[in-house]
Amino acid sequence: MDPLIAPTVLAELLAVPDPAQRPVVLDVRWRLTGPPARPDHDAAHLPGAVFLDMDSDLADPPGPAGRHPLPSPARLQSALRRAGVRDDSLVVAHDDAQGVQAARTWWLLRWAGFAAGRVAVLDGGYRAWVEAGLPTTDEPSRPLPGDVTVRPGGMPVLDADEAAALARSGVLLDARAPERYRGEFEPVDPKAGHIPGAVNAPATDVLGPDGRWLAPAPLAARLAGLAGPGAGDVGAYCGSGATAAALVLAMEHAGLRPPERPIGLYVGSWSNWSADPGRPVAVGTEQ
């Protein structure tokens, strides 16, 4: 299965008679600033969807490792089991930002041992579901406890030294907005700028004007110049390792990287890099 799923296709899968054959839907709406997203879920969500919090369920507490460090296997396993995830589940994650945030959950599940084809992102997110006229509810979801076992290591993870080396010897993509890459604006982290040698590839560029992900062919055309099949080793980072996961997904969706050879994710990202006073910082368009 493609890493993206259309709202109408998800609706069909959720309508199968056997509840055990239905996908597990994870609502991972999240905001960098402003009020938390949990009240939005409580007010209206996809039938059966379970809310998981980016900060407390899908990451360990912030610290030197970054703002969204990898969750411990025990933390992630507990959250997924509460959501009803089984070892044989098909899991679909969605947010309200066209899937750029939900891609981090897709990546986490792949890291946790889910095979390609067992986890997907809802194309267009919650907004697309509503726009398609599909049902929502405010009734709390009460899934049966899951039995999933988290098996870390399914996706390549980069640390700061590996990201720095990759920026010199391969391709390191910076998924943040251009003004953050250039160091003109930094809303949360200690220093502004980017990792020397990194190339700016805003995660929002994987989307079309309608807020949906680009189809594979135009997406491949957009990304091939940055990290095509002949680019060698490729990695990605962002502010805290969340939106950069969208580039990992995009490479697979576009056919530029097969599921068995995904690009590496620097999970600590800029929040980890900029917290170390010994790390160099580039600004402007310099690489």
Side-chain angles (χ1 to χ4, degrees), residues 30 54-55 58-60 62 65-70 104 240-242 267-268 271:
W30 176 81
M54 173 79 75
D55 297 308
L58 303 176
D60 269 357
R67 284 185 280 112
H68 288 115
L70 279 173
R104 167 65 181 248
S240 66
V267 176
S271 61

Side-chain angles (χ1 to χ4, degrees), residues 123-239:
D123 191 8
Y126 179 78
R127 220 169 299 168
W129 179 272
V130 173
E131 289 172 356
L134 296 167
T136 63
T137 181
D138 61 359
E139 291 190 14
S141 300
R142 296 181 175 86
L144 294 174
D147 63 3
V148 66
T149 298
V150 168
R151 300 176 176 89
M155 295 290 265
V157 177
L158 305 175
D159 62 19
D161 289 338
E162 290 167 331
L166 191 56
R168 296 189 299 267
S169 64
V171 178
L172 181 65
L173 302 174
D174 184 324
R176 298 173 300 160
E179 58 270 22
R180 289 187 73 188
Y181 170 83
R182 294 191 298 263
E184 298 166 1
F185 171 70
E186 180 48 62
V188 285
D189 291 316
K191 290 185 285 190
H194 60 268
I195 297 173
V199 178
N200 193 210
T204 51
D205 284 356
V206 306
L207 306 175
D210 60 355
R212 304 290 185 92
W213 290 65
L214 292 172
L219 184 58
R222 181 167 293 187
L223 295 174
L226 296 170
D233 292 333
V234 180
Y237 77 98
C238 55

Side-chain angles (χ1 to χ4, degrees), residues 70-172:
L70 279 173
S72 69
R75 178 188 295 269
L76 181 59
Q77 181 170 289
S78 175
L80 294 177
R81 287 186 175 186
R82 291 197 313 271
V85 179
R86 305 174 304 277
D87 279 323
D88 62 350
S89 291
L90 169 63
V91 183
V92 177
H94 80 82
D95 52 31
D96 57 2
Q98 296 83 43
V100 172
Q101 294 296 341
R104 167 65 181 248
T105 305
W106 169 88
W107 184 93
L108 266 178
L109 288 170
R110 292 282 300 279
W111 170 82
F114 271 72
R118 301 302 302 174
V119 57
V121 166
L122 179 61
D123 191 8
Y126 179 78
R127 220 169 299 168
W129 179 272
V130 173
E131 289 172 356
L134 296 167
T136 63
T137 181
D138 61 359
E139 291 190 14
S141 300
R142 296 181 175 86
L144 294 174
D147 63 3
V148 66
T149 298
V150 168
R151 300 176 176 89
M155 295 290 265
V157 177
L158 305 175
D159 62 19
D161 289 338
E162 290 167 331
L166 191 56
R168 296 189 299 267
S169 64
V171 178
L172 181 65

